[in-house]
Amino acid sequence: MHAPAHFPGVLGHEEIQGLLRDALSRGRLHHALILAGPRGVGKATLARGLACALTCEVSPAVGCGACTSCRRILRGQHPDHASLAPESPGAPIKADSARLFGLDRAHAPFEARSHLAVIDPADALNHASANALLKAIEEPRAGVHFVLVVHSLARLLDTLKSRCLVVNPGVLSADHTRRVVTQALADQPPNPPPDANEIDLAIQLSGGAPGVALEFLRDGNLSLWLGLLSACVEASDAGPRGIFAGERAPLWQHWQRAALSMEIVDPVGAPKAGATVTKIPARARSTKKTKASAKKTTSSSSSKKASSKKASAKQQRMAARRLADVWLIHLRSQLAGGRGLFDPPGGHPNAAPRLARQVQTLLRFRDRISANLNVRMSVEQTLLDLGR
Ligand SMILES: [Zn+2]
């Protein structure tokens, strides 16, 4: 009766929380859920909140957030809140890892009455690793539940989808986005701390995805992305002449800087939006990942003057994904009658049908980024398509 209305650490997604609470209190939670929704809206946070609700004895079906069990889950230290992720962001989940993970669930729950196994991002399952998990997901032990976190349902194997209940967390309200961002910044202040204007812009850019807003703020370089977007818009309007203008053209200089900046950013295969957003400080991660190259193990300032360096394919893929996100926000704002993130070149906004076509082109581009061997070529092709 006095139970809190929401899962620990979860803001927004009221309808989904209500459905899950209801299912939990009737002991009817589906054994395999797919949380499918935009990047950064808090899917992983929602899964963690659900794990609290599943295991909490103080406030069953909701989670109190304060008992030993809840606190361990929120810290990522409870054996009955397990997760499977790729070895590195952007890589596929290996079949062996998937098989082992599935086998381990045959011994769960370990301490609590229930066990939540999270696969995040499940977009990283390829044919082999998805198949390796099928049996575990199809016939889990009593009390064992799976949650597959995905950005795009299209990439999931049909046989896997058919065994799961799909739930779609959407974007948050501006108010909830701000509260999640504020809390996360208070928990882990970036260095240097962002000012109020930067926070406002990041929230606006995020379109209701606090994880995306936090990426912008931790990156500390919003203007880098606005500059790249502006150069891209100009180049695609100019056509081949603007796109194939050589490495020294502003477009590709911007691109190079943006891609290199991904080195120091928390790489986001699946942003962990919510109160406990980032686990490893960007600098520590950067140092660890590039230990083989002394030149690279420097602080963030080095990436700014490093435009002579080549961005790796992984950095380019991450940059392409973020460029697509920023551009989509720009277009959607224009579709809604706004000016977008900046005034269109020449002051002429595109007509709605063309904007809608461009949104489709960008969505296709973003969907295929991980499959593209040559990111630069796919960026060029997309710029050509967008200019038509
Ligand atoms: Zn609790």
Short mmCIF file of all heavy atoms in Angstrom, two decimals, residues 287-353:
data_model
loop_
_atom_site.label_atom_id
_atom_site.label_comp_id
_atom_site.label_asym_id
_atom_site.label_seq_id
_atom_site.Cartn_x
_atom_site.Cartn_y
_atom_site.Cartn_z
N THR A 287 43.19 5.06 -21.76
CA THR A 287 44.55 4.61 -21.49
C THR A 287 44.65 3.10 -21.63
O THR A 287 45.57 2.57 -22.21
CB THR A 287 44.96 5.02 -20.06
OG1 THR A 287 44.72 6.41 -19.94
CG2 THR A 287 46.41 4.73 -19.81
N LYS A 288 43.65 2.43 -21.09
CA LYS A 288 43.67 0.98 -21.11
C LYS A 288 43.60 0.45 -22.54
O LYS A 288 44.33 -0.45 -22.92
CB LYS A 288 42.47 0.47 -20.31
CG LYS A 288 42.55 -1.01 -20.00
CD LYS A 288 41.45 -1.39 -19.04
CE LYS A 288 40.50 -2.36 -19.68
NZ LYS A 288 39.18 -2.34 -19.16
N LYS A 289 42.74 1.08 -23.32
CA LYS A 289 42.50 0.54 -24.66
C LYS A 289 43.66 0.76 -25.61
O LYS A 289 43.80 0.09 -26.59
CB LYS A 289 41.23 1.17 -25.26
CG LYS A 289 39.98 0.56 -24.71
CD LYS A 289 38.79 1.17 -25.34
CE LYS A 289 38.63 0.65 -26.75
NZ LYS A 289 37.42 1.18 -27.35
N THR A 290 44.48 1.77 -25.33
CA THR A 290 45.49 2.11 -26.30
C THR A 290 46.89 1.92 -25.74
O THR A 290 47.80 2.61 -26.10
CB THR A 290 45.32 3.57 -26.75
OG1 THR A 290 45.36 4.39 -25.58
CG2 THR A 290 44.03 3.79 -27.48
N LYS A 291 47.02 0.93 -24.86
CA LYS A 291 48.32 0.80 -24.21
C LYS A 291 49.44 0.44 -25.19
O LYS A 291 50.60 0.72 -24.93
CB LYS A 291 48.25 -0.22 -23.07
CG LYS A 291 47.86 -1.63 -23.49
CD LYS A 291 47.94 -2.53 -22.27
CE LYS A 291 47.72 -3.99 -22.60
NZ LYS A 291 46.35 -4.34 -22.88
N ALA A 292 49.08 -0.15 -26.31
CA ALA A 292 50.10 -0.54 -27.27
C ALA A 292 50.74 0.67 -27.94
O ALA A 292 51.84 0.60 -28.45
CB ALA A 292 49.50 -1.46 -28.32
N SER A 293 50.03 1.77 -27.96
CA SER A 293 50.56 2.92 -28.66
C SER A 293 50.73 4.09 -27.72
O SER A 293 49.77 4.72 -27.30
CB SER A 293 49.61 3.29 -29.81
OG SER A 293 49.75 4.64 -30.13
N ALA A 294 51.99 4.38 -27.39
CA ALA A 294 52.27 5.43 -26.43
C ALA A 294 51.76 6.77 -26.93
O ALA A 294 51.34 7.62 -26.15
CB ALA A 294 53.77 5.52 -26.17
N LYS A 295 51.77 6.95 -28.24
CA LYS A 295 51.34 8.23 -28.79
C LYS A 295 49.88 8.52 -28.46
O LYS A 295 49.46 9.64 -28.33
CB LYS A 295 51.49 8.20 -30.32
CG LYS A 295 52.86 8.66 -30.79
CD LYS A 295 52.82 9.04 -32.26
CE LYS A 295 52.39 7.86 -33.10
NZ LYS A 295 52.47 8.12 -34.53
N LYS A 296 49.12 7.42 -28.36
CA LYS A 296 47.67 7.59 -28.20
C LYS A 296 47.26 7.76 -26.74
O LYS A 296 46.18 8.23 -26.47
CB LYS A 296 46.95 6.38 -28.77
CG LYS A 296 46.82 6.42 -30.27
CD LYS A 296 46.03 5.21 -30.71
CE LYS A 296 45.62 5.32 -32.16
NZ LYS A 296 44.84 4.16 -32.55
N THR A 297 48.14 7.35 -25.81
CA THR A 297 47.70 7.34 -24.42
C THR A 297 47.86 8.70 -23.77
O THR A 297 48.52 8.83 -22.76
CB THR A 297 48.48 6.31 -23.60
OG1 THR A 297 49.86 6.66 -23.69
CG2 THR A 297 48.27 4.92 -24.09
N THR A 298 47.30 9.70 -24.38
CA THR A 298 47.39 11.01 -23.79
C THR A 298 45.99 11.48 -23.43
O THR A 298 45.03 10.77 -23.63
CB THR A 298 48.04 12.00 -24.76
OG1 THR A 298 47.49 11.78 -26.04
CG2 THR A 298 49.53 11.77 -24.82
N SER A 299 45.91 12.67 -22.91
CA SER A 299 44.62 13.15 -22.45
C SER A 299 43.79 13.68 -23.61
O SER A 299 44.22 13.68 -24.76
CB SER A 299 44.83 14.27 -21.44
OG SER A 299 45.39 15.37 -22.12
N SER A 300 42.61 14.14 -23.27
CA SER A 300 41.66 14.55 -24.31
C SER A 300 42.20 15.66 -25.19
O SER A 300 41.83 15.77 -26.34
CB SER A 300 40.38 15.01 -23.64
OG SER A 300 40.67 16.07 -22.78
N SER A 301 43.10 16.48 -24.66
CA SER A 301 43.54 17.63 -25.45
C SER A 301 44.29 17.18 -26.70
O SER A 301 44.32 17.87 -27.70
CB SER A 301 44.45 18.52 -24.61
OG SER A 301 45.60 17.79 -24.23
N SER A 302 44.89 15.98 -26.65
CA SER A 302 45.68 15.55 -27.80
C SER A 302 44.80 15.31 -29.03
O SER A 302 45.24 15.50 -30.14
CB SER A 302 46.44 14.27 -27.47
OG SER A 302 45.52 13.20 -27.40
N SER A 303 43.55 14.90 -28.80
CA SER A 303 42.74 14.54 -29.96
C SER A 303 42.38 15.76 -30.79
O SER A 303 42.06 15.65 -31.95
CB SER A 303 41.48 13.80 -29.51
OG SER A 303 40.65 14.69 -28.83
N LYS A 304 42.44 16.94 -30.16
CA LYS A 304 42.04 18.13 -30.89
C LYS A 304 43.07 18.54 -31.93
O LYS A 304 42.74 19.02 -32.98
CB LYS A 304 41.79 19.27 -29.91
CG LYS A 304 40.47 19.09 -29.21
CD LYS A 304 40.13 20.22 -28.29
CE LYS A 304 38.85 19.90 -27.55
NZ LYS A 304 38.85 20.40 -26.21
N LYS A 305 44.36 18.32 -31.59
CA LYS A 305 45.38 18.72 -32.56
C LYS A 305 45.85 17.52 -33.36
O LYS A 305 46.90 17.54 -33.96
CB LYS A 305 46.55 19.40 -31.83
CG LYS A 305 47.15 18.53 -30.76
CD LYS A 305 48.26 19.26 -30.02
CE LYS A 305 48.79 18.41 -28.88
NZ LYS A 305 49.68 19.13 -27.99
N ALA A 306 45.07 16.46 -33.31
CA ALA A 306 45.54 15.23 -33.91
C ALA A 306 44.91 14.94 -35.25
O ALA A 306 44.78 13.80 -35.64
CB ALA A 306 45.29 14.08 -32.96
N SER A 307 44.52 15.98 -35.98
CA SER A 307 43.79 15.73 -37.21
C SER A 307 44.64 15.03 -38.27
O SER A 307 44.13 14.60 -39.28
CB SER A 307 43.21 17.03 -37.76
OG SER A 307 44.23 17.98 -37.83
N SER A 308 45.96 14.92 -38.04
CA SER A 308 46.77 14.20 -39.01
C SER A 308 46.67 12.70 -38.78
O SER A 308 46.99 11.90 -39.65
CB SER A 308 48.22 14.66 -38.91
OG SER A 308 48.70 14.41 -37.61
N LYS A 309 46.20 12.31 -37.59
CA LYS A 309 46.03 10.88 -37.31
C LYS A 309 44.81 10.34 -38.04
O LYS A 309 43.89 11.07 -38.34
CB LYS A 309 45.85 10.66 -35.80
CG LYS A 309 47.14 10.64 -35.04
CD LYS A 309 46.97 9.98 -33.68
CE LYS A 309 46.01 10.70 -32.78
NZ LYS A 309 45.86 10.08 -31.47
N LYS A 310 44.86 9.04 -38.28
CA LYS A 310 43.72 8.40 -38.94
C LYS A 310 42.79 7.82 -37.88
O LYS A 310 43.24 7.18 -36.94
CB LYS A 310 44.24 7.26 -39.81
CG LYS A 310 44.67 7.71 -41.19
CD LYS A 310 43.46 7.79 -42.10
CE LYS A 310 43.87 8.03 -43.55
NZ LYS A 310 42.76 8.54 -44.34
N ALA A 311 41.50 8.03 -38.07
CA ALA A 311 40.55 7.40 -37.15
C ALA A 311 40.41 5.93 -37.51
O ALA A 311 40.44 5.57 -38.69
CB ALA A 311 39.21 8.11 -37.26
N SER A 312 40.25 5.09 -36.51
CA SER A 312 40.08 3.66 -36.77
C SER A 312 38.68 3.39 -37.31
O SER A 312 37.79 4.24 -37.20
CB SER A 312 40.29 2.87 -35.48
OG SER A 312 39.20 3.11 -34.62
N ALA A 313 38.51 2.19 -37.86
CA ALA A 313 37.19 1.84 -38.39
C ALA A 313 36.14 1.89 -37.29
O ALA A 313 35.01 2.33 -37.50
CB ALA A 313 37.24 0.46 -39.03
N LYS A 314 36.54 1.45 -36.10
CA LYS A 314 35.58 1.43 -34.99
C LYS A 314 35.17 2.86 -34.60
O LYS A 314 34.00 3.14 -34.39
CB LYS A 314 36.19 0.71 -33.79
CG LYS A 314 35.20 0.48 -32.67
CD LYS A 314 35.85 -0.16 -31.46
CE LYS A 314 36.10 -1.64 -31.67
NZ LYS A 314 36.72 -2.26 -30.50
N GLN A 315 36.16 3.75 -34.54
CA GLN A 315 35.87 5.15 -34.23
C GLN A 315 34.96 5.74 -35.30
O GLN A 315 34.03 6.48 -34.99
CB GLN A 315 37.17 5.97 -34.17
CG GLN A 315 37.99 5.72 -32.93
CD GLN A 315 39.31 6.45 -32.98
OE1 GLN A 315 40.01 6.43 -34.00
NE2 GLN A 315 39.66 7.11 -31.91
N GLN A 316 35.24 5.40 -36.56
CA GLN A 316 34.42 5.94 -37.64
C GLN A 316 32.98 5.44 -37.55
O GLN A 316 32.04 6.17 -37.81
CB GLN A 316 35.02 5.58 -39.00
CG GLN A 316 36.33 6.28 -39.27
CD GLN A 316 36.77 6.13 -40.72
OE1 GLN A 316 35.98 6.34 -41.64
NE2 GLN A 316 38.01 5.76 -40.91
N ARG A 317 32.84 4.18 -37.18
CA ARG A 317 31.48 3.64 -37.04
C ARG A 317 30.73 4.35 -35.91
O ARG A 317 29.56 4.69 -36.04
CB ARG A 317 31.54 2.13 -36.75
CG ARG A 317 31.32 1.30 -38.01
CD ARG A 317 31.05 -0.15 -37.67
NE ARG A 317 32.27 -0.82 -37.28
CZ ARG A 317 33.16 -1.29 -38.15
NH1 ARG A 317 32.95 -1.18 -39.44
NH2 ARG A 317 34.26 -1.88 -37.74
N MET A 318 31.44 4.57 -34.79
CA MET A 318 30.79 5.26 -33.67
C MET A 318 30.43 6.69 -34.07
O MET A 318 29.35 7.20 -33.73
CB MET A 318 31.73 5.26 -32.45
CG MET A 318 31.83 3.90 -31.78
SD MET A 318 33.32 3.73 -30.76
CE MET A 318 32.97 4.89 -29.47
N ALA A 319 31.35 7.33 -34.80
CA ALA A 319 31.09 8.71 -35.23
C ALA A 319 29.92 8.75 -36.20
O ALA A 319 29.07 9.64 -36.15
CB ALA A 319 32.34 9.30 -35.88
N ALA A 320 29.86 7.76 -37.09
CA ALA A 320 28.78 7.73 -38.08
C ALA A 320 27.43 7.58 -37.38
O ALA A 320 26.44 8.22 -37.76
CB ALA A 320 29.01 6.56 -39.05
N ARG A 321 27.42 6.76 -36.35
CA ARG A 321 26.18 6.55 -35.61
C ARG A 321 25.74 7.86 -34.93
O ARG A 321 24.58 8.24 -34.97
CB ARG A 321 26.40 5.45 -34.56
CG ARG A 321 25.19 4.63 -34.27
CD ARG A 321 25.57 3.36 -33.53
NE ARG A 321 26.04 2.31 -34.42
CZ ARG A 321 27.13 1.57 -34.21
NH1 ARG A 321 27.87 1.78 -33.15
NH2 ARG A 321 27.47 0.64 -35.06
N ARG A 322 26.69 8.54 -34.34
CA ARG A 322 26.33 9.78 -33.65
C ARG A 322 25.93 10.87 -34.66
O ARG A 322 24.97 11.61 -34.44
CB ARG A 322 27.49 10.28 -32.80
CG ARG A 322 27.11 11.57 -32.08
CD ARG A 322 28.09 11.97 -31.04
NE ARG A 322 28.10 11.02 -29.94
CZ ARG A 322 28.87 11.16 -28.87
NH1 ARG A 322 29.66 12.20 -28.77
NH2 ARG A 322 28.83 10.29 -27.90
N LEU A 323 26.65 10.90 -35.79
CA LEU A 323 26.28 11.87 -36.82
C LEU A 323 24.84 11.64 -37.26
O LEU A 323 24.04 12.58 -37.39
CB LEU A 323 27.23 11.76 -38.02
CG LEU A 323 26.84 12.55 -39.27
CD1 LEU A 323 26.84 14.06 -38.98
CD2 LEU A 323 27.79 12.25 -40.43
N ALA A 324 24.49 10.36 -37.47
CA ALA A 324 23.12 10.04 -37.89
C ALA A 324 22.13 10.51 -36.83
O ALA A 324 21.09 11.09 -37.15
CB ALA A 324 22.99 8.54 -38.13
N ASP A 325 22.46 10.29 -35.56
CA ASP A 325 21.56 10.71 -34.47
C ASP A 325 21.36 12.22 -34.47
O ASP A 325 20.24 12.72 -34.36
CB ASP A 325 22.12 10.27 -33.11
CG ASP A 325 21.93 8.78 -32.88
OD1 ASP A 325 21.06 8.21 -33.56
OD2 ASP A 325 22.64 8.22 -32.05
N VAL A 326 22.46 12.95 -34.56
CA VAL A 326 22.37 14.41 -34.52
C VAL A 326 21.58 14.92 -35.72
O VAL A 326 20.72 15.79 -35.60
CB VAL A 326 23.79 15.04 -34.51
CG1 VAL A 326 23.71 16.56 -34.58
CG2 VAL A 326 24.54 14.63 -33.25
N TRP A 327 21.86 14.33 -36.88
CA TRP A 327 21.18 14.76 -38.10
C TRP A 327 19.68 14.47 -38.02
O TRP A 327 18.84 15.27 -38.42
CB TRP A 327 21.81 14.06 -39.31
CG TRP A 327 21.60 14.81 -40.61
CD1 TRP A 327 20.55 15.59 -40.95
CD2 TRP A 327 22.50 14.83 -41.72
NE1 TRP A 327 20.72 16.11 -42.21
CE2 TRP A 327 21.91 15.64 -42.71
CE3 TRP A 327 23.72 14.23 -41.98
CZ2 TRP A 327 22.52 15.88 -43.94
CZ3 TRP A 327 24.32 14.46 -43.22
CH2 TRP A 327 23.74 15.28 -44.18
N LEU A 328 19.34 13.31 -37.47
CA LEU A 328 17.92 12.95 -37.33
C LEU A 328 17.19 13.93 -36.41
O LEU A 328 16.05 14.33 -36.68
CB LEU A 328 17.78 11.52 -36.79
CG LEU A 328 18.01 10.42 -37.85
CD1 LEU A 328 18.23 9.06 -37.18
CD2 LEU A 328 16.82 10.35 -38.82
N ILE A 329 17.87 14.34 -35.34
CA ILE A 329 17.25 15.33 -34.44
C ILE A 329 17.01 16.64 -35.19
O ILE A 329 15.96 17.26 -35.09
CB ILE A 329 18.17 15.57 -33.23
CG1 ILE A 329 18.15 14.34 -32.31
CG2 ILE A 329 17.76 16.82 -32.45
CD1 ILE A 329 19.32 14.28 -31.36
N HIS A 330 18.01 17.03 -35.99
CA HIS A 330 17.92 18.25 -36.79
C HIS A 330 16.73 18.18 -37.75
O HIS A 330 15.90 19.10 -37.81
CB HIS A 330 19.24 18.36 -37.57
CG HIS A 330 19.35 19.56 -38.45
ND1 HIS A 330 19.26 20.84 -37.96
CD2 HIS A 330 19.59 19.68 -39.79
CE1 HIS A 330 19.41 21.70 -38.98
NE2 HIS A 330 19.59 21.02 -40.08
N LEU A 331 16.61 17.05 -38.46
CA LEU A 331 15.53 16.91 -39.45
C LEU A 331 14.15 16.84 -38.79
O LEU A 331 13.19 17.42 -39.28
CB LEU A 331 15.76 15.65 -40.30
CG LEU A 331 16.96 15.69 -41.25
CD1 LEU A 331 17.11 14.36 -41.96
CD2 LEU A 331 16.80 16.81 -42.28
N ARG A 332 14.10 16.10 -37.67
CA ARG A 332 12.79 15.94 -37.02
C ARG A 332 12.31 17.27 -36.48
O ARG A 332 11.11 17.56 -36.49
CB ARG A 332 12.87 14.89 -35.92
CG ARG A 332 12.85 13.49 -36.51
CD ARG A 332 13.04 12.43 -35.47
NE ARG A 332 12.93 11.10 -36.09
CZ ARG A 332 13.64 10.05 -35.72
NH1 ARG A 332 14.50 10.16 -34.73
NH2 ARG A 332 13.49 8.90 -36.33
N SER A 333 13.23 18.08 -35.99
CA SER A 333 12.84 19.40 -35.52
C SER A 333 12.29 20.23 -36.68
O SER A 333 11.30 20.94 -36.55
CB SER A 333 14.04 20.10 -34.87
OG SER A 333 13.89 21.50 -34.92
N GLN A 334 12.94 20.11 -37.86
CA GLN A 334 12.46 20.86 -39.03
C GLN A 334 11.10 20.33 -39.50
O GLN A 334 10.24 21.09 -39.90
CB GLN A 334 13.48 20.77 -40.17
CG GLN A 334 14.76 21.54 -39.86
CD GLN A 334 15.72 21.56 -41.03
OE1 GLN A 334 15.78 20.62 -41.82
NE2 GLN A 334 16.49 22.63 -41.13
N LEU A 335 10.95 19.00 -39.43
CA LEU A 335 9.66 18.41 -39.82
C LEU A 335 8.54 18.92 -38.93
O LEU A 335 7.39 19.05 -39.35
CB LEU A 335 9.74 16.88 -39.71
CG LEU A 335 10.05 16.11 -40.99
CD1 LEU A 335 10.25 14.63 -40.69
CD2 LEU A 335 8.95 16.28 -42.04
N ALA A 336 8.89 19.20 -37.67
CA ALA A 336 7.88 19.69 -36.73
C ALA A 336 7.68 21.19 -36.86
O ALA A 336 6.98 21.80 -36.05
CB ALA A 336 8.29 19.33 -35.30
N GLY A 337 8.33 21.79 -37.87
CA GLY A 337 8.13 23.22 -38.11
C GLY A 337 9.17 24.12 -37.47
O GLY A 337 9.09 25.33 -37.57
N GLY A 338 10.15 23.52 -36.79
CA GLY A 338 11.20 24.31 -36.15
C GLY A 338 12.34 24.61 -37.11
O GLY A 338 12.29 24.24 -38.28
N ARG A 339 13.39 25.26 -36.59
CA ARG A 339 14.51 25.60 -37.46
C ARG A 339 15.58 24.51 -37.45
O ARG A 339 16.55 24.57 -38.18
CB ARG A 339 15.13 26.93 -37.02
CG ARG A 339 15.88 26.85 -35.69
CD ARG A 339 16.26 28.23 -35.19
NE ARG A 339 17.61 28.61 -35.57
CZ ARG A 339 18.69 28.31 -34.85
NH1 ARG A 339 18.60 27.61 -33.75
NH2 ARG A 339 19.88 28.72 -35.23
N GLY A 340 15.42 23.51 -36.62
CA GLY A 340 16.47 22.51 -36.48
C GLY A 340 17.54 23.03 -35.55
O GLY A 340 17.30 23.91 -34.75
N LEU A 341 18.74 22.48 -35.68
CA LEU A 341 19.82 22.85 -34.76
C LEU A 341 20.53 24.13 -35.22
O LEU A 341 21.29 24.71 -34.48
CB LEU A 341 20.81 21.70 -34.63
CG LEU A 341 20.18 20.42 -34.07
CD1 LEU A 341 21.16 19.27 -34.12
CD2 LEU A 341 19.70 20.65 -32.64
N PHE A 342 20.31 24.52 -36.47
CA PHE A 342 20.82 25.79 -36.96
C PHE A 342 19.99 26.17 -38.18
O PHE A 342 19.27 25.34 -38.72
CB PHE A 342 22.32 25.72 -37.32
CG PHE A 342 22.68 24.49 -38.12
CD1 PHE A 342 22.41 24.40 -39.48
CD2 PHE A 342 23.26 23.39 -37.49
CE1 PHE A 342 22.74 23.27 -40.20
CE2 PHE A 342 23.58 22.24 -38.20
CZ PHE A 342 23.32 22.19 -39.56
N ASP A 343 20.11 27.44 -38.60
CA ASP A 343 19.33 27.85 -39.76
C ASP A 343 19.85 27.15 -41.00
O ASP A 343 21.05 26.97 -41.17
CB ASP A 343 19.43 29.37 -39.94
CG ASP A 343 18.65 30.09 -38.84
OD1 ASP A 343 17.54 29.60 -38.52
OD2 ASP A 343 19.14 31.09 -38.31
N PRO A 344 18.92 26.71 -41.88
CA PRO A 344 19.36 26.01 -43.09
C PRO A 344 20.18 26.96 -43.98
O PRO A 344 19.93 28.18 -43.97
CB PRO A 344 18.04 25.62 -43.77
CG PRO A 344 16.99 26.45 -43.13
CD PRO A 344 17.48 26.81 -41.77
N PRO A 345 21.16 26.42 -44.74
CA PRO A 345 21.97 27.27 -45.61
C PRO A 345 21.07 28.02 -46.59
O PRO A 345 20.18 27.43 -47.17
CB PRO A 345 22.86 26.27 -46.35
CG PRO A 345 22.72 24.97 -45.64
CD PRO A 345 21.44 25.00 -44.88
N GLY A 346 21.29 29.32 -46.75
CA GLY A 346 20.48 30.12 -47.65
C GLY A 346 19.13 30.46 -47.04
O GLY A 346 18.33 31.15 -47.66
N GLY A 347 18.87 29.97 -45.84
CA GLY A 347 17.61 30.31 -45.15
C GLY A 347 16.40 29.58 -45.68
O GLY A 347 15.28 29.86 -45.29
N HIS A 348 16.62 28.62 -46.61
CA HIS A 348 15.47 27.90 -47.16
C HIS A 348 15.36 26.52 -46.55
O HIS A 348 16.18 25.65 -46.87
CB HIS A 348 15.61 27.75 -48.69
CG HIS A 348 15.79 29.05 -49.39
ND1 HIS A 348 14.85 30.05 -49.35
CD2 HIS A 348 16.82 29.54 -50.13
CE1 HIS A 348 15.28 31.09 -50.05
NE2 HIS A 348 16.48 30.82 -50.52
N PRO A 349 14.39 26.30 -45.69
CA PRO A 349 14.21 24.94 -45.17
C PRO A 349 13.67 24.04 -46.28
O PRO A 349 13.00 24.51 -47.20
CB PRO A 349 13.17 25.12 -44.06
CG PRO A 349 12.51 26.42 -44.33
CD PRO A 349 13.39 27.25 -45.21
N ASN A 350 14.03 22.77 -46.21
CA ASN A 350 13.52 21.82 -47.20
C ASN A 350 12.02 21.59 -47.01
O ASN A 350 11.50 21.78 -45.92
CB ASN A 350 14.25 20.48 -47.07
CG ASN A 350 15.68 20.57 -47.58
OD1 ASN A 350 15.94 21.24 -48.58
ND2 ASN A 350 16.60 19.93 -46.88
N ALA A 351 11.38 21.17 -48.10
CA ALA A 351 9.96 20.86 -48.00
C ALA A 351 9.77 19.55 -47.23
O ALA A 351 10.66 18.71 -47.20
CB ALA A 351 9.37 20.73 -49.41
N ALA A 352 8.59 19.41 -46.63
CA ALA A 352 8.34 18.26 -45.75
C ALA A 352 8.59 16.90 -46.43
O ALA A 352 9.20 16.02 -45.81
CB ALA A 352 6.92 18.33 -45.20
N PRO A 353 8.13 16.68 -47.69
CA PRO A 353 8.37 15.36 -48.29
C PRO A 353 9.85 15.04 -48.41
O PRO A 353 10.28 13.91 -48.21
CB PRO A 353 7.73 15.49 -49.68
CG PRO A 353 6.77 16.62 -49.56
CD PRO A 353 7.34 17.56 -48.56
#
